[in-house]
Amino acid sequence: MRAWACAVAVVLLASGCTSAGSDSADPPASESPAPTSEPATSETAADPAGLHLDCAGEGGPAIVLVAGLNTSGGTFADLRDRLAEGTTACFYDRAGIGLSPPLAKNDPDPSPGSAAADLRKTLSAAGVEPPYVVLGWSYGGLVAQAYAKDFPDDLAGLVLEDPSVREQFVAGPLNDRGFMWREGGRTIHKEVVAEELAGLDLGDLPVAVISQDSKESWIGPWYRAHDRLARATTDGIHAIGLGSGHAMHDDVPGFVARAVQTVWSAASAGTPLPACRAVFATAGGRCRV
């Protein structure tokens, strides 16, 4: 894979994230309120190459930031600018969100796999060439996982920020039960997500998984699902950002930046990631993997 060297129910839906001191009894399922009305629907398909992409900096590997459910990539503006001091860094809006056009009426409903394919086309059309270090937050973490599964040769590294997990879409303690996943006014079907992300194997890709800090009853299974992602590669680490809620890039931006920069540096040098404690012990983190 490195051939080149170099939330189970809606939680605080109105505020967009959970926090370490939340009264929530369930893991996060969404990052922003569901739209109060259906968005305008195009008669023709939204061209993936026309999705809104905002990049800064220069150099590579490029860093690509993938936002959560129904959330514009602009949530990463500050983090993008910080990371762009050393390389190209980009965020974007999926179809029907922010400045990107909606899906056409006859287009299939969205899924992590379709979003990953659209992101690839968008980056290519903009001349942002692989390999990439991709950060995915919450539902964006599912998109990032799908990208890694479907287009492994495009990736130099992966950062998963309190990511949504396949376990939310199958039977078990993290299953979201009655929550309907929707984006841009369209339904995300649980069985499609479960199928797309089955058998995820990240090979030797450098992967950093970072999780929110919580003492709620659901957090044990949440952390174990994140452990699984870190162990889906031979080069993975997993740490909890102390004092952070679900939107870690807002709560502990330095911690998130440290994760991205560590993965980027290892990918650029073609070396394994440092041990988790070497990365996060002085950055307010508690390591699990």
Side-chain angles (χ1 to χ4, degrees), residues 66-174:
V66 185
L69 193 69
N70 269 329
T71 301
S72 169
T75 189
F76 288 124
D78 290 344
L79 177 63
R80 190 280 309 273
D81 290 348
R82 180 172 185 164
L83 297 171
E85 294 176 4
T87 190
T88 303
C90 308
F91 60 76
Y92 83 114
D93 293 336
R94 290 188 294 276
I97 300 173
L99 299 177
S100 289
L103 295 170
K105 289 181 179 178
N106 295 329
D107 283 344
D109 287 326
S111 71
S114 66
D118 287 352
L119 173 57
R120 190 179 197 228
K121 293 174 184 176
T122 297
L123 292 167
S124 177
V128 182
E129 297 298 326
Y132 313 118
V133 171
V134 174
L135 176 147
W137 168 49
S138 196
Y139 177 79
L142 296 177
V143 177
Q145 292 166 56
Y147 200 113
K149 184 175 182 180
D150 294 344
F151 311 113
D153 292 340
D154 281 10
L155 291 193
L158 192 64
V159 180
L160 299 173
E161 177 192 342
D162 209 38
S164 297
V165 291
R166 184 177 182 270
E167 285 85 341
Q168 292 174 268
F169 299 85
V170 298
L174 289 178

Side-chain angles (χ1 to χ4, degrees), residues 10-267:
V10 183
V11 176
L12 296 184
L13 208 52
S15 63
C17 64
T18 57
S19 64
S22 165
D23 292 331
S24 167
D26 300 297
S30 173
E31 283 59 72
S32 70
T36 55
S37 61
E38 298 292 298
T41 304
S42 173
E43 292 296 334
T44 58
D47 180 3
L51 296 180
H52 176 67
L53 179 72
D54 194 327
C55 297
E58 58 184 19
I63 297 169
V64 181
L65 307 173
V66 185
L69 193 69
N70 269 329
T71 301
S72 169
T75 189
F76 288 124
D78 290 344
L79 177 63
R80 190 280 309 273
D81 290 348
R82 180 172 185 164
L83 297 171
E85 294 176 4
T87 190
T88 303
C90 308
F91 60 76
Y92 83 114
D93 293 336
R94 290 188 294 276
I97 300 173
L99 299 177
S100 289
L103 295 170
K105 289 181 179 178
N106 295 329
D107 283 344
D109 287 326
S111 71
S114 66
D118 287 352
L119 173 57
R120 190 179 197 228
K121 293 174 184 176
T122 297
L123 292 167
S124 177
V128 182
E129 297 298 326
Y132 313 118
V133 171
V134 174
L135 176 147
W137 168 49
S138 196
Y139 177 79
L142 296 177
V143 177
Q145 292 166 56
Y147 200 113
K149 184 175 182 180
D150 294 344
F151 311 113
D153 292 340
D154 281 10
L155 291 193
L158 192 64
V159 180
L160 299 173
E161 177 192 342
D162 209 38
S164 297
V165 291
R166 184 177 182 270
E167 285 85 341
Q168 292 174 268
F169 299 85
V170 298
L174 289 178
N175 184 274
D176 65 13
R177 299 176 180 87
F179 179 67
M180 180 175 289
W181 293 71
R182 291 178 66 79
E183 180 162 272
R186 302 285 291 269
T187 298
I188 298 169
H189 298 285
K190 299 174 186 177
E191 63 276 11
V192 173
V193 179
E195 180 178 355
E196 287 183 345
L197 296 177
L200 182 66
D201 182 352
L202 299 175
D204 63 351
L205 188 71
V207 177
V209 184
I210 53 176
S211 305
Q212 66 168 291
D213 189 12
S214 176
K215 299 185 184 303
E216 301 297 339
S217 59
W218 48 264
I219 203 65
W222 188 248
Y223 288 161
R224 288 191 290 275
H226 290 177
D227 289 343
R228 173 184 63 79
L229 293 173
R231 289 174 174 139
T233 172
T234 60
D235 191 17
I237 56 177
H238 174 205
I240 298 162
L242 300 179
S244 69
H246 185 47
M248 299 180 71
H249 55 280
D250 288 334
D251 297 338
V252 286
F255 184 89
V256 177
R258 173 75 66 90
V260 178
Q261 290 162 342
T262 298
V263 170
W264 186 90
S265 295

